Amino acid sequence: MQQQAQQDDYTRRLKRLDCCAVSDALDKLGLPGTVTGLPQRSGSQRIAGRAVTVKLVEAKAHAVALAAAPATNGAPRHLGTTAVEFAGPGDVIVVEQRTGLDAGSWGGILSLGASLRGIEGVIADGPVRDIDEARQYEFPVFARALTAFTARNRVAEAGTNVPVNVGSVSVQPGDYVIADNSAVIFIAAQEIERVLAAAEQIAGKEAAMAKKLLNGVPIAQVMGADYEYMLENHG
């Protein structure tokens, strides 16, 4: 219970920051995690939470793998539905669809289902479809591209809550995520405390600088040596 409360506190602290401050903190600490080129396609709010991951692969390759595997009982599941059922408030679904195929990695019914469960949003390294529906639900979706092409017979789900890649970043289930109109950022769970501490310090310094500007201090003075060396790690 205490660990869960601490995790929730991390998410609350992350939501008070923006991606630029968190990216600066990663730079200061020499850590990877910032991904650009995934614009917000629906919703207007910044999102933050824990990653629930989905890995998609080319359907033909997946069919070959299934044919070689032992038979399993039960009807096939649509991609993304396992993640939606697993996730809830405080979770962000992160989808890898890097097959190169123009095929939706996320769609309108999934957006509605995720919205009803209180999921924070979706980040897709690949195309998504039905974006007008996501906008109608005001459900945040960040995606590499938009498409009308269905996933059927094109891509299939290889796994839920498995390691995925987004941009140049490897994402593990349970890693922390923050996304806004500047970037999408992933923070390894074991690094969250020191990244938050550095980002909060940076955000505090920038707030103080803004206050000085509003009080009439010249901008060259405000953005002097302290700002230029702000990301240096002095231990």
Side-chain angles (χ1 to χ4, degrees), residues 141-171:
V141 174
F142 296 76
R144 187 72 68 186
L146 302 178
T147 188
F149 286 110
T150 179
R152 296 181 190 88
N153 301 317
R154 293 188 174 96
V155 296
E157 183 173 314
T160 298
N161 267 346
V162 296
V164 298
N165 292 300
V166 178
S168 61
V169 179
S170 177
V171 182

Side-chain angles (χ1 to χ4, degrees), residues 14-227:
L14 195 57
K15 284 183 176 180
R16 291 196 290 264
L17 297 164
D18 61 39
C19 282
C20 290
V22 177
S23 181
D24 286 353
L26 292 176
D27 280 349
K28 181 175 183 177
L29 298 170
L31 297 172
T34 301
V35 180
T36 57
L38 293 173
Q40 186 162 9
R41 308 286 185 168
S42 62
S44 58
Q45 68 270 37
R46 181 186 304 129
I47 63 171
R50 306 295 295 272
V52 174
T53 61
V54 180
K55 184 176 179 67
L56 304 183
V57 296
E58 191 171 352
K60 291 179 181 178
H62 188 60
V64 171
L66 287 179
T72 57
N73 296 323
R77 296 177 66 90
H78 189 280
L79 61 85
T81 56
T82 301
V84 171
E85 290 180 352
F86 178 85
D91 293 321
V92 177
I93 295 179
V94 180
V95 184
E96 176 192 327
Q97 202 283 69
R98 294 155 63 110
T99 66
L101 297 174
D102 188 5
S105 58
W106 189 262
I109 299 299
L110 288 171
S111 289
L112 176 58
S115 178
L116 291 172
R117 288 187 62 82
I119 293 167
E120 305 296 325
V122 167
I123 295 164
D125 193 348
V128 300
R129 70 186 219 138
D130 300 320
I131 199 62
D132 289 332
E133 293 179 39
R135 290 171 180 167
Q136 178 184 346
Y137 309 138
E138 298 184 353
F139 181 70
V141 174
F142 296 76
R144 187 72 68 186
L146 302 178
T147 188
F149 286 110
T150 179
R152 296 181 190 88
N153 301 317
R154 293 188 174 96
V155 296
E157 183 173 314
T160 298
N161 267 346
V162 296
V164 298
N165 292 300
V166 178
S168 61
V169 179
S170 177
V171 182
Q172 302 291 327
D175 282 352
Y176 286 86
V177 188
I178 181 171
D180 61 21
N181 284 296
S182 292
V184 172
I185 297 179
F186 301 97
I187 307 162
Q190 66 269 23
E191 302 288 358
I192 186 64
E193 178 60 54
R194 67 185 189 127
V195 171
L196 280 172
E200 288 165 348
Q201 182 182 49
I202 290 166
K205 288 181 178 179
E206 292 187 341
M209 290 164 60
K211 185 175 180 180
K212 288 180 181 179
L213 278 176
L214 291 170
N215 288 332
V217 178
I219 191 167
Q221 182 178 335
V222 171
M223 299 187 74
D226 287 346
Y227 181 77

